[in-house]
Amino acid sequence: MTSTSKFVLFDVDGTLVDAVSNQRQVWRTWAKHYGLDGDEVYQVALRTRPMETFALVAADRDPHECLATLHELEDEDVRTGDYAAFDGASELLHGLPSGSWALVTSNYEHRVRGRFLRTGLPVPGLVVDAAAVEEGKPSPVPYLRAAARLGAAPEDCLVIEDAPSGVQSGLRAGMTVWGVNAAVAVDGVHRHFASLREAVPHILAFVSGPRAGAAA
């Protein structure tokens, strides 16, 4: 229930939650399990979805068994790993009107909820995760699905991303895309911020809009 006509769709890992070291360690552990070089596997995993990664680095292995092993490691990491929200994330999410934002992640909702619980971030009413769509980023489907479920037009949505695949997903969905937490702007972004903290007032202003009395 919100009077806003603008909406914000957030990526999670690397955008709101700093999980880079966790992801690297999960993939290193996974690689060790299969006798592979952890750093080489991680570099492939950065560019591909898990099933594509398995096809490239462990083509002789059962991909479903590979995925099950990865899921076990990721779930364990959610329970025991060290996580931190990026500076400004809590202030930003608490400052947005209810119903004006959602999470769009290539991960799974139970892991996102676990990470948010551990970092103290509020979970919105809508999380579009890997299980909610048949096509992941860079397809526009995840962001279009989120907009549809919020009752929002793509042109009224702001996407906050840190990775090229997510940026392309938002652009293909016809949305405004801002990049955060990167020293160099990702190709295609409409605005770039070196940190999430720098973007906070601008994101809040986007939702509030030019209308008087529309403060978050």
Side-chain angles (χ1 to χ4, degrees), residues 113-203:
R113 289 184 176 277
R115 289 174 178 176
F116 272 45
L117 180 64
R118 305 227 7 233
T119 55
L121 295 178
V123 181
L126 175 60
V127 179
V128 174
D129 70 349
V133 294
E134 293 183 358
E135 297 180 31
K137 304 171 186 178
S139 164
V141 171
Y143 281 112
L144 288 173
R145 179 69 53 83
R149 291 180 62 182
L150 285 172
E155 59 267 26
D156 291 327
C157 294
L158 170 63
V159 169
I160 306 299
E161 272 280 359
D162 73 301
S165 62
V167 167
Q168 286 302 310
S169 178
L171 292 173
R172 292 174 183 177
M175 300 174 181
T176 299
V177 182
W178 292 355
V180 298
N181 297 332
V184 179
V186 175
D187 288 346
V189 295
H190 296 101
R191 293 188 70 176
H192 167 69
F193 300 90
S195 68
L196 179 66
R197 163 56 66 190
E198 293 178 19
V200 169
H202 302 281
I203 296 170

Side-chain angles (χ1 to χ4, degrees), residues 47-62:
R47 305 189 303 270
T48 59
R49 302 182 76 185
M51 295 300 275
E52 297 165 346
T53 302
F54 306 147
L56 291 170
V57 304
D60 58 332
R61 301 283 185 169
D62 178 355

